[in-house]
């Protein structure tokens, strides 16, 4: 009455590798839920610092069409609002960003 399908292969190596992979994945997921996120703080500060430096060095312009830009600051224009600019300054290794209204150098009434 018994059925014999003729399958007599044993694959201990493959099942061992699969079990190790599945257990490692499972415990890695469990650990990520219960781990302390304090280790992400230095990486987060690194990314924010280099993003600010990138914006200051590559996105901000030294010269502007606005009269109210101090000499030691760079400018980022806001595309949606032509009357607003973002002033970017660097003091030592600290960057600051501040939105201000643009006072144009050219007065439209004189043209």
């Amino acid at each position: 009455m018994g059925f014999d399908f003729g399958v007599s292969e044993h694959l201990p190596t493959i099942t061992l590798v699969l079990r190790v992979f599945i257990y490692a994945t499972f415990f890695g997921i469990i650990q990520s839920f219960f781990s302390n996120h304090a280790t992400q703080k230095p990486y987060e500060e690194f990314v924010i610092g280099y993003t600010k430096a990138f914006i200051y060095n590559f996105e901000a312009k030294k010269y502007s069409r606005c009269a109210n830009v101090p000499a030691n600051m760079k400018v980022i224009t806001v595309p949606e609002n032509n009357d607003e600019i973002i002033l970017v300054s660097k003091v030592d290794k600290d960057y600051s960003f501040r939105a201000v209204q643009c006072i144009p150098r050219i007065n439209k009434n004189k043209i």
Side-chain angles (χ1 to χ4, degrees):
M1 198 73 185
F3 296 103
D4 184 18
F5 293 108
V7 179
S8 63
E9 294 182 21
H10 297 286
L11 305 171
T13 307
I14 293 174
T15 57
L16 174 69
V17 170
L18 287 175
R19 279 185 276 157
V20 167
F21 178 74
I22 291 170
Y23 290 145
T25 305
F26 176 74
F27 288 120
I29 291 170
I30 296 298
Q31 181 185 7
S32 70
F33 283 122
F34 295 112
S35 68
N36 188 1
H37 295 288
T39 58
Q40 293 179 354
K41 187 80 170 158
Y43 176 73
E44 185 177 318
E45 291 172 358
F46 168 79
V47 170
I48 290 171
Y50 274 92
T51 303
K52 288 180 178 181
F54 179 84
I55 291 170
Y56 179 80
N57 291 318
F58 297 109
E59 297 292 328
K61 301 173 199 141
K62 185 174 182 178
Y63 302 104
S64 172
R65 61 180 174 80
C66 303
N68 59 334
V69 178
N72 62 345
M73 292 191 166
K74 290 186 174 184
V75 176
I76 300 173
T77 56
V78 178
E80 289 83 23
N81 186 357
N82 288 333
D83 295 336
E84 190 175 42
I85 58 173
I86 298 173
L87 295 176
V88 184
S89 65
K90 178 183 176 185
V91 178
D92 296 329
K93 290 186 177 184
D94 188 35
Y95 300 92
S96 67
F97 300 86
R98 185 178 54 168
V100 296
Q101 286 296 113
C102 174
I103 301 172
R105 291 178 193 241
I106 300 173
N107 192 350
K108 292 179 184 178
N109 297 332
K110 291 184 180 181
I111 297 179

